C-alpha cells in the first residue's frame, strides 16, 4: 500500500494530540463544573497520575485516543459498525459533518448507542436550551464517547471500562479543520483502509518521532521507552515468507496432499526433496498453536489468520465458524506495549469480521496479551490466601512464580521464563476458579492479579507448533543496567542484542520438532560475539530456509544501518540435511528484494544456495557463510590458520585522537622520529611523534602512511591519560602488545567499504585498532602475497562479510603452502607500490615530481604526460590484479 501520506499525518496527529490532551488535563485539574464534580473519582486518579509522571500520562492518553480514532475510522471505511452509521467521517464526499452527528441532529439515535447516551441532554444542547460555546462540538464529543463505550464489550483493552478517566481527556474540539480528528477524515481515505495493515503503518509512524528522539540521546534507553525504539513494521512479503515456511510447512507435513501449496508463492521446497523424518504433525486444525512473542500491531498474526482460514476451509469447516475457532484455538500474541496490543487485538477481530458478519456479535477476545507488572502490597497475598482457603497450594515455588511478575515484566516481556510447568499452572487456575469468590472488593482485586500473573506465566510456559516474530532490536550500548544484568544472567550466548535473545527464546517456546521463524539483524550470522548462539542453531537446530536481505530491506529505513536476515528453523538436529538460502543483499528496496527472491526461488539464478550445517561448522567460528562452495570449505578444513605462522594483534586506542594523533605534515620535522628500530631506541629518542598504522582507504602492498602518534618517553603522557580516564589501574586495557611496536609487519584497514587490503610496514611504526597488524620472524612477504589474493578475499568473505575485519577473523584465514620463490614477486609488488606512494607529496618520503625524471621527461609537456600515464597503467596493472592470476 502507498504509505507516503500516512507518515506526516501520524506524526502531526501525535503532536496535535499531545498538545490537546495536555490542555484538557490542565482544565480538568483546575476547573469546577457539575460534570467534573460528578466525575470526582476519575479527576483524583488523574491528579495522582499527573503528580507521579505527567509526561507519561499525557503520552499514554494521546496514544490511546489515536488508536481509538484510527479504529473507528477503519470501521467507518469498511462499513462494519453494527449500528450502520459512520462515527468519524461523513456519509458521502458531498457532506462535511460526521454521519452520526447529522443523524442525531434529526433526533435519531441508533439503538445500539442509546444506552450510552443522554438523549435529553443532546437535544437540549442542539436546541439551545443548555448554554454551550460549541453545542455541536459538545454533542459530537458525547457521541464519540458513546461509540467507545459501546465497543468496550468487544475490545476492552482498546476501549477501556466505562467512565475511565481517559474519557475526561478526550479533546473538546473534534469537528473543526484544526481538530485532532480532522486528519482522520481528510488524510485517510476509504481505499487506504482496504487492508488492516494500515493500522500497523499508523502505529509505526506515530511512534517514529519519539523513537528518533530517544535514539538521538546516545544513552541507555529507559525501560518505558523500549517499546517505542524497538518497533519496526515488517514488509508484507517477508511476513508471508516466514509464515508460509513455518505454519504452511507444518500443515503440508500433516497433509502431504493439501492444496495449500498452490496459494503460498513464498514457500520454499526442501532441497533434498523430503522433510525431516521426525517433523511435527497435527491431527486437525484446532490443534495448531502459533505464537508471536513480540507481536507489535499484529502483522504476523493477521497473515497467519488468512492461512489458517484456508486450512479450515480445506478441511470442510463451515465458513461462519472458522474465525471463532482460529481466535479461540490457534493464534497467540505477546507484547509489552499496551497500545500495540490494542491494535493487534483489533486487527485480528477485523480479520474475523472480513470472513463473518457475526464476528462482532460474539465478542470473541483474541488471545493477545500485554505482559505487565503485577505488584502486590505487603501482606496482600497472605490476606487473600487466608480468605480463600488456598494456602496449602501456594508453596514457596508457587509464590515465587506469582511474584516473578512483580517488576520489569513490561521491560523483559517474552524473555521472562516461568518457574512452574504448564500443567501446574492450569491446575492452580482450576483450584482458584473452584474456590469461593471473594466478597471483599480488595480481596477480589488481589485474586484478579494472581490470575493475571498465572495467565502470563501460562502463555510463556506453553509450547507452540509455530513461533514467528519480528523481535525488538536493542544493542548492548543502548541497554539500561536492568536489561544488561538480565541479559547477562539469562542469555549469556546472545546477550549482545535483544533480537539475539529472542532467537534463543523462540527456540524454547517452540515444541520439539516444530518451527520457529524470525526476521532479525544479520549480525548474529558472522560476529564472534554470537558464535555460541550460532553453534546452538547449527548443532541442535536446523535452518530450513533463509532469505539474507542485507541493507534496505525496509523502505522506511535508508542506507546501510539495518542489515537484516529472515529465516525459518526446525527445532531438531538435522546435521546432514541441507537448508536453502537466498542471497538478496544487492536489492535496493523491498520490491527489488522480493523480485530477487521470487526469481531465485523459481530458478536459482545464482542467488540460491543449498548447504548443510555441518559444512558451515567447518569454517572457524561457524559463520552462516552459506555461499561457500566445497573447495572453500575444504581449504578451511585442510590448511592451518594464519595464526599458526604469524602473530595477529589488535592495536592501541588513545581515547582522544584529537590530543595524541596528528597527520605527519601537522608537526615539526625535527620532533618526528622515522625508522626507529625498536622500543629501546624509541625510549632513547628525543622525538615526540612516531609513525602510526591507523588504517585508511583501500590500498594494497604499501602506503597510507600518513599518521603520527605522541609516543615521547615510551608513551608516558598517553599512558597517564588512560590511567586517569579509567580512574586508576593499568593502561594495558588500551595500550596493547607493546612488545611488537616498531617491528616490521603487515597491516590492514580494520573498517573499509571495499575488500580488505594488506600492506607491508617497515620498522618504526606503532599500530592502532584501526590499523591492526601481524608479525612473523620469516616469510612476511609470502604471507602478504597470500593475503592479497582472491583466495584470501573469498575466505574473509566467509569469516567477516561485514565491513569490519577484526584480527580474530584475519587470524583464521587458511594459509596454504606457497613456493618460496614467489617471495621475489611479493617484494617486487611492494616496491612498485612504495614507489607509487612516494611519487606524491602526501608521502613523507616524497623527493621529486616524476614528470621531471629523465626516464619520463619528454620533449613536450604532453609527451611527458603520456609517458606518465603509461607508467601508472603499468604499475596499476601489476599492483592491483591478483598476484596469482596472469597479468
Amino acid at each position: 500500500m502507498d504509505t507516503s501520506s500516512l507518515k506526516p499525518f501520524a506524526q502531526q496527529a501525535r503532536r496535535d494530540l499531545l498538545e490537546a490532551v495536555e490542555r484538557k488535563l490542565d482544565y480538568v485539574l483546575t476547573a469546577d463544573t457539575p460534570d467534573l464534580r460528578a466525575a470526582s473519582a476519575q479527576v483524583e486518579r488523574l491528579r495522582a497520575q499527573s503528580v507521579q509522571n505527567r509526561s507519561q500520562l499525557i503520552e499514554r492518553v494521546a496514544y490511546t485516543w489515536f488508536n481509538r480514532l484510527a479504529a473507528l475510522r477503519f470501521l467507518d471505511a469498511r462499513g462494519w459498525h453494527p449500528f450502520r452509521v459512520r462515527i468519524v467521517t461523513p456519509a458521502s464526499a458531498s457532506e462535511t459533518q460526521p454521519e452520526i452527528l447529522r443523524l442525531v441532529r434529526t433526533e435519531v439515535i441508533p439503538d445500539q448507542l442509546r444506552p450510552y447516551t443522554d438523549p435529553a441532554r443532546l437535544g437540549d444542547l442542539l436546541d439551545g436550551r443548555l448554554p454551550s460555546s460549541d453545542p455541536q462540538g459538545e454533542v459530537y464529543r458525547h457521541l464519540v464517547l458513546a461509540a467507545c463505550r459501546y465497543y468496550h464489550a468487544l475490545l476492552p483493552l482498546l476501549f477501556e471500562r466505562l467512565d475511565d478517566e481517559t474519557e475526561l481527556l478526550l479533546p473538546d474540539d473534534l469537528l473543526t479543520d484544526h481538530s485532532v480528528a480532522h486528519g482522520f477524515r481528510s488524510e485517510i481515505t476509504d481505499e487506504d483502509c482496504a487492508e488492516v495493515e494500515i493500522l500497523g503503518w499508523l502505529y509505526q509512524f506515530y511512534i517514529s518521532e519519539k523513537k528518533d528522539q530517544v535514539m538521538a540521546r546516545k544513552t541507555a534507553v529507559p525501560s518505558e521507552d523500549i517499546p517505542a525504539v524497538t518497533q519496526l513494521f515488517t514488509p508484507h512479503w517477508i511476513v508471508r515468507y516466514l509464515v508460509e515456511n513455518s505454519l504452511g510447512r507444518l500443515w503440508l507435513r500433516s497433509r502431504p496432499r493439501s492444496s495449500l501449496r498452490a496459494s503460498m508463492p513464498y514457500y520454499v521446497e526442501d532441497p533434498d526433496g523430503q522433510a525431516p523424518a521426525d517433523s511435527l504433525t497435527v491431527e486437525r486444525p484446532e490443534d495448531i498453536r502459533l505464537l508471536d512473542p513480540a507481536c507489535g500491531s499484529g502483522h504476523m498474526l493477521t497473515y497467519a489468520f488468512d492461512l489458517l482460514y484456508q486450512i479450515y476451509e480445506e478441511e470442510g469447516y463451515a465458513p461462519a465458524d472458522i474465525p471463532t475457532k482460529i481466535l479461540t484455538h490457534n493464534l497467540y500474541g505477546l507484547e509489552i506495549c499496551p497500545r500495540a496490543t490494542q491494535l493487534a487485538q483489533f486487527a485480528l477481530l477485523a480479520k474475523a469480521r472480513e470472513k463473518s458478519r457475526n464476528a462482532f456479535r460474539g465478542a470473541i477476545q483474541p488471545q493477545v496479551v500485554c505482559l505487565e507488572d503485577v505488584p502486590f502490597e505487603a501482606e496482600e497475598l497472605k490476606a487473600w490466601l487466608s480468605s480463600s482457603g488456598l494456602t496449602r497450594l501456594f508453596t514457596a515455588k508457587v509464590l515465587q512464580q506469582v511474584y516473578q511478575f512483580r517488576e520489569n515484566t513490561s521491560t523483559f516481556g517474552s524473555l521472562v521464563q516461568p518457574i512452574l510447568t504448564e500443567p501446574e499452572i492450569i491446575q492452580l487456575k482450576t483450584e482458584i476458579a473452584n474456590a469461593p469468590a471473594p466478597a471483599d472488593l480488595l480481596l477480589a482485586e488481589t485474586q484478579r492479579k494472581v490470575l493475571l500473573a498465572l495467565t502470563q506465566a501460562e502463555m510463556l510456559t506453553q509450547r507452540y507448533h509455530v513461533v514467528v516474530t519480528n523481535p525488538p532490536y536493542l544493542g548492548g550500548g543502548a541497554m539500561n543496567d536492568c536489561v544488561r544484568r538480565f541479559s547477562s544472567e539469562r542469555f549469556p550466548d546472545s546477550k549482545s542484542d535483544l533480537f539475539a535473545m529472542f532467537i534463543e527464546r523462540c527456540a524454547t517456546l517452540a515444541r520439539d520438532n516444530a518451527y520457529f521463524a524470525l526476521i532479525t539483524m544479520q549480525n548474529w550470522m558472522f560476529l564472534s560475539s554470537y558464535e555460541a548462539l550460532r553453534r546452538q542453531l547449527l548443532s541442535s537446530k536446523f535452518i530450513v530456509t533463509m532469505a539474507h536481505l542485507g541493507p534496505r530491506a525496509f523502505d522506511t529505513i535508508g542506507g546501510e544501518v539495518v542489515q537484516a536476515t529472515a529465516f525459518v528453523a526446525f527445532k531438531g538436529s538435522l546435521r546432514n540435511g541441507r537448508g536453502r538460502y537466498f542471497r538478496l543483499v544487492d536489492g535496493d528496496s523491498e520490491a527489488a528484494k522480493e523480485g530477487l527472491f521470487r526469481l531465485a526461488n523459481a530458478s536459482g539464478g545464482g542467488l540460491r544456495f543449498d548447504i548443510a550445517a555441518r559444512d558451515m561448522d567447518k569454517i572457524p567460528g561457524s559463520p552462516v557463510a552459506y555461499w561457500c562452495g566445497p573447495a572453500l570449505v575444504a581449504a578451511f578444513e585442510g590448511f592451518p590458520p594464519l595464526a599458526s605462522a604469524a602473530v595477529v594483534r589488535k592495536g592501541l586506542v588513545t581515547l582522544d585522537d584529537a590530543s595524541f594523533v596528528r597527520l605527519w605534515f601537522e608537526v615539526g620535522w625535527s620532533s618526528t622520529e622515522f625508522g626507529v628500530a625498536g622500543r629501546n631506541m624509541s625510549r632513547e629518542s628525543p622525538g615526540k611523534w612516531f609513525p602510526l598504522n591507523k588504517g585508511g582507504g583501500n590500498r594494497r602492498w604499501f602506503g597510507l602512511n600518513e599518521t603520527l602518534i605522541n609516543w615521547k618517553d615510551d608513551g608516558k603522557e598517553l599512558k597517564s591519560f588512560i590511567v586517569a580516564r579509567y580512574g586508576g589501574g593499568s593502561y594495558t586495557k588500551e595500550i596493547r602488545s607493546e612488545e611488537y611496536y616498531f617491528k616490521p609487519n603487515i597491516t590492514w584497514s580494520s573498517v573499509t567499504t571495499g575488500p580488505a587490503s594488506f600492506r607491508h610496514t617497515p620498522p618504526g611504526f606503532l599500530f592502532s585498532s584501526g590499523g591492526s597488524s601481524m608479525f612473523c620472524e620469516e616469510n612476511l612477504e609470502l604471507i602478504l602475497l597470500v593475503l592479497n589474493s582472491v583466495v584470501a578475499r573469498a575466505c574473509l568473505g566467509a569469516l567477516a562479510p561485514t565491513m569490519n575485519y577484526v584480527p580474530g577473523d584475519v587470524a583464521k584465514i587458511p594459509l596454504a603452502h606457497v613456493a618460496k620463490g614467489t617471495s621475489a614477486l611479493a617484494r617486487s609488488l611492494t616496491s612498485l607500490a612504495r614507489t607509487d606512494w612516494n611519487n606524491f607529496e602526501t608521502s613523507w618520503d616524497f623527493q621529486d615530481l616524476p614528470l621531471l625524471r629523465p626516464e619520463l621527461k619528454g620533449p613536450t609537456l604532453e609527451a611527458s604526460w603520456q609517458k606518465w600515464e603509461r607508467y601508472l597503467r603499468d604499475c596499476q596493472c601489476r599492483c592491483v590484479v591478483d598476484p596469482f592470476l596472469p597479468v
Side-chain angles (χ1 to χ4, degrees):
M1 62 181 296
D2 181 10
T3 62
S4 57
S5 64
L6 297 181
K7 184 172 183 178
F9 156 70
Q11 292 176 334
Q12 185 61 47
R14 176 177 178 269
R15 293 191 289 267
D16 292 345
L17 272 166
L18 289 173
E19 183 180 341
V21 168
E22 185 170 20
R23 284 199 306 269
K24 192 64 185 287
L25 176 64
D26 290 337
Y27 171 78
V28 167
L29 296 181
T30 56
D32 182 15
T33 68
D35 288 343
L36 289 176
R37 286 196 293 273
S40 59
Q42 295 96 306
V43 172
E44 287 309 308
R45 285 198 294 269
L46 284 176
R47 193 181 310 279
Q49 293 173 37
S50 179
V51 170
Q52 184 178 9
N53 196 319
R54 177 182 172 90
S55 62
Q56 279 190 26
L57 170 64
I58 294 168
E59 183 81 53
R60 174 176 62 81
V61 173
Y63 208 156
T64 295
W65 277 113
F66 180 83
N67 278 0
R68 291 176 180 177
L69 291 170
L72 293 172
R73 176 65 183 92
F74 181 83
L75 293 170
D76 282 358
R78 302 304 295 269
W80 285 350
H81 291 299
F83 38 82
R84 300 182 183 279
V85 179
R86 288 175 174 243
I87 298 296
V88 178
T89 52
S92 67
S94 61
E95 300 182 39
T96 57
Q97 286 194 333
E99 185 179 11
I100 185 65
L101 178 60
R102 181 183 61 78
L103 189 68
V104 171
R105 287 177 60 200
T106 64
E107 300 184 359
V108 177
I109 298 177
D111 291 339
Q112 293 91 336
L113 298 185
R114 186 171 288 274
Y116 309 106
T117 61
D118 183 348
R121 178 183 174 88
L122 298 183
D124 289 345
L125 281 167
L126 291 173
D127 293 340
R129 291 188 292 273
L130 275 178
S132 174
S133 59
D134 181 16
Q136 289 196 106
E138 192 170 342
V139 168
Y140 181 60
R141 184 179 184 277
H142 186 91
L143 294 170
V144 170
L145 289 174
C148 293
R149 292 174 176 181
Y150 168 79
Y151 277 115
H152 169 71
L154 186 65
L155 285 166
L157 187 63
L158 179 55
F159 300 98
E160 282 103 333
R161 63 190 181 276
L162 302 182
D163 300 319
D164 179 83
E165 57 265 24
T166 304
E167 293 185 3
L168 292 177
L169 299 187
L170 173 63
D172 293 323
D173 179 13
L174 298 175
L175 287 175
T176 71
D177 290 350
H178 303 290
S179 73
V180 294
H182 177 69
F184 288 94
R185 292 188 281 267
S186 62
E187 300 299 327
I188 299 178
T189 67
D190 286 358
E191 291 72 22
D192 289 334
C193 299
E195 299 290 342
V196 73
E197 184 181 335
I198 186 178
L199 299 175
W201 284 115
L202 287 174
Y203 172 62
Q204 175 162 316
F205 294 144
Y206 182 91
I207 64 176
S208 60
E209 287 189 329
K210 181 173 183 179
K211 178 177 182 178
D212 293 341
Q213 291 166 4
V214 173
M215 296 309 293
R217 298 176 198 155
K218 306 289 186 185
T219 57
V221 176
S223 292
E224 64 269 17
D225 290 334
I226 288 177
V229 303
T230 59
Q231 297 288 346
L232 195 59
F233 193 67
T234 317
H236 190 62
W237 83 267
I238 298 174
V239 172
R240 295 195 62 173
Y241 167 78
L242 293 173
V243 175
E244 288 176 8
N245 285 289
S246 52
L247 173 61
R249 192 173 299 272
L250 170 69
W251 186 248
L252 292 183
R253 299 291 178 260
S254 305
R255 298 287 192 277
R257 296 183 181 179
S258 170
S259 61
L260 189 67
R261 173 68 184 89
S263 58
M264 296 193 300
Y266 301 94
Y267 185 81
V268 177
E269 300 290 350
D270 294 305
D272 297 321
Q274 59 183 7
D278 51 359
S279 288
L280 192 67
T281 59
V282 293
E283 292 295 324
R284 57 189 190 136
E286 291 96 327
D287 295 336
I288 299 172
R289 281 179 174 178
L290 181 147
L291 170 72
D292 185 340
C295 67
S297 55
H299 199 182
M300 300 285 185
L301 296 174
T302 55
Y303 181 64
F305 182 101
D306 292 338
L307 210 57
L308 284 162
Y309 192 90
Q310 294 181 62
I311 290 171
Y312 276 99
E313 270 193 322
E314 184 177 83
E315 292 290 285
Y317 288 74
D321 297 336
I322 295 175
T324 299
K325 288 186 175 295
I326 292 174
L327 297 186
T328 303
H329 299 291
N330 303 128
L331 295 180
Y332 299 80
L334 295 169
E335 178 53 50
I336 61 172
C337 175
R339 267 61 65 189
T341 310
Q342 292 170 354
L343 291 183
Q345 288 186 344
F346 180 78
L348 284 176
L349 279 174
K351 297 302 292 188
R353 177 59 181 82
E354 283 180 354
K355 302 298 184 181
S356 172
R357 296 175 62 88
N358 298 324
F360 283 3
R361 297 173 189 170
I364 314 159
Q365 289 304 310
Q367 298 188 78
V368 178
V369 172
C370 180
L371 295 169
E372 58 182 283
D373 295 345
V374 188
F376 291 92
E377 298 292 336
E379 303 299 316
E380 178 183 358
L381 198 56
K382 183 178 179 180
W384 172 74
L385 287 172
S386 177
S387 171
S388 63
L390 297 173
T391 304
R392 60 182 175 79
L393 297 175
F394 278 71
T395 63
K397 185 178 179 183
V398 173
L399 289 172
Q400 190 179 1
Q401 177 62 85
V402 173
Y403 285 138
Q404 186 180 25
F405 296 99
R406 281 184 299 182
E407 59 183 0
N408 296 322
T409 308
S410 56
T411 299
F412 305 141
S414 298
L415 297 176
V416 174
Q417 301 180 61
I419 298 158
L420 298 179
T421 65
E422 183 182 359
E424 289 173 328
I425 294 170
I426 293 173
Q427 178 63 31
L428 264 174
K429 291 176 70 176
T430 302
E431 294 277 0
I432 295 172
N434 292 334
D440 186 289
L441 290 178
L442 293 177
L443 294 179
E445 173 62 14
T446 301
Q447 178 166 307
R448 184 197 69 80
K449 293 197 293 185
V450 170
L451 287 171
L452 173 59
L454 292 175
T455 298
Q456 293 185 160
E458 183 180 6
M459 290 194 73
L460 290 166
T461 307
Q462 288 180 162
R463 294 298 174 258
Y464 300 84
H465 299 81
V466 177
V467 181
V468 57
T469 193
N470 180 351
Y473 304 72
L474 190 71
M479 292 180 188
N480 58 49
D481 291 340
C482 176
V483 177
R484 192 176 294 110
R485 282 194 304 269
F486 175 85
S487 60
S488 297
E489 293 170 3
R490 305 297 176 86
F491 295 91
D493 291 346
S494 53
K495 63 184 178 182
S496 299
D497 201 294
L498 281 182
F499 79 78
M501 293 181 240
F502 266 87
I503 294 176
E504 273 199 79
R505 186 68 176 116
C506 286
T508 62
L509 287 165
R511 294 187 175 196
D512 290 340
N513 303 318
Y515 298 97
F516 58 99
L518 302 93
I519 174 171
T520 69
M521 298 281 276
Q522 70 174 23
N523 306 17
W524 69 268
M525 298 168 61
F526 313 115
L527 296 186
S528 59
S529 54
Y530 297 111
E531 183 175 342
L533 175 63
R534 285 196 296 275
R535 292 194 183 279
Q536 279 190 44
L537 284 176
L538 296 178
S539 59
S540 60
K541 284 85 178 176
F542 170 64
I543 297 177
V544 177
T545 178
M546 174 182 284
H548 184 191
L549 302 163
R552 299 182 179 85
F554 301 83
D555 285 347
T556 53
I557 302 176
E560 307 284 324
V561 176
V562 175
Q563 301 203 30
T565 188
F567 65 97
V568 178
F570 171 72
K571 189 181 177 181
S573 180
L574 199 66
R575 298 281 290 165
N576 295 325
R578 294 185 302 160
R580 179 155 285 180
Y581 298 76
F582 299 88
R583 189 166 180 80
L584 314 177
V585 296
D586 291 332
D588 60 1
S589 67
E590 290 176 15
K593 291 183 186 294
E594 180 184 4
L596 289 174
F597 171 80
R598 285 177 171 271
L599 174 66
N601 196 28
S603 59
L607 299 176
R608 190 177 74 195
F609 302 84
D610 299 337
I611 187 171
R614 58 183 173 81
D615 289 331
M616 288 187 286
D617 214 15
K618 294 173 183 176
I619 302 171
S622 301
V624 185
Y626 55 85
W627 59 88
C628 291
L632 196 58
V633 172
F636 279 109
E637 193 174 25
F639 294 108
L642 174 64
S644 65
V647 175
V648 186
R649 289 288 185 264
K650 181 180 180 180
L652 61 82
V653 175
T654 70
L655 302 179
D656 185 5
D657 278 3
S659 297
F660 294 98
V661 177
R662 296 285 187 273
L663 293 172
W664 68 268
F665 46 80
E666 293 179 319
V667 302
W669 191 261
S670 61
S671 62
T672 305
E673 293 289 347
F674 295 108
V676 171
R679 289 187 68 194
N680 289 335
M681 184 176 175
S682 73
R683 293 190 186 101
E684 297 169 359
S685 169
K688 177 178 180 179
W689 299 98
F690 295 77
L692 175 71
N693 280 334
K694 201 174 181 299
N698 190 294
R699 183 181 175 90
R700 295 195 294 175
W701 309 112
F702 189 91
L704 301 183
N705 303 328
E706 302 172 313
T707 310
L708 306 175
I709 185 171
N710 175 1
W711 198 250
K712 184 176 179 59
D713 295 331
D714 202 36
K716 180 179 179 180
E717 186 178 348
L718 175 57
K719 291 174 180 177
S720 298
F721 171 79
I722 292 172
V723 170
R725 174 67 68 91
Y726 287 119
S730 173
Y731 60 80
T732 54
K733 183 175 182 179
E734 303 297 354
I735 306 296
R736 313 173 184 92
S737 306
E738 286 187 85
E739 66 272 25
Y740 293 100
Y741 290 179
F742 306 109
K743 291 184 177 182
N745 63 76
I746 296 172
T747 190
W748 69 96
S749 303
S750 299
V751 179
T752 176
T753 56
S757 56
F758 296 86
R759 298 176 293 280
H760 176 265
T761 301
F765 283 68
L766 294 86
F767 54 102
S768 73
S769 60
S772 296
S773 302
M774 68 184 71
F775 306 83
C776 61
E777 296 299 328
E778 55 184 16
N779 297 329
L780 197 68
E781 296 93 347
L782 297 180
I783 292 176
L784 180 60
L785 202 66
V786 171
L787 290 174
N788 277 331
S789 69
V790 290
V791 177
R793 186 174 300 178
C795 292
L796 274 178
L799 295 165
T802 62
M803 297 181 292
N804 196 8
Y805 301 103
V806 299
D809 290 331
V810 172
K812 296 172 186 173
I813 296 173
L815 192 61
H817 174 72
V818 180
K820 291 194 174 182
T822 56
S823 58
L825 173 61
R827 285 193 293 272
S828 173
L829 292 168
T830 302
S831 176
L832 281 169
R834 182 198 296 263
T835 300
D836 176 66
W837 177 253
N838 293 335
N839 278 334
F840 298 91
E841 296 93 330
T842 50
S843 167
W844 56 59
D845 285 326
F846 172 78
Q847 297 295 325
D848 58 5
L849 289 172
L851 285 174
L852 301 179
R853 295 173 191 164
E855 64 270 22
L856 292 178
K857 188 174 182 180
T860 64
L861 181 59
E862 181 180 8
S864 296
W865 189 261
Q866 289 171 348
K867 286 185 177 184
W868 170 240
E869 284 183 323
R870 284 195 298 271
Y871 168 79
L872 288 180
R873 279 197 299 270
D874 180 56
C875 285
Q876 184 179 28
C877 183
R878 293 161 66 187
C879 288
V880 174
V881 300
D882 189 84
F884 296 128
L885 295 179
V887 176

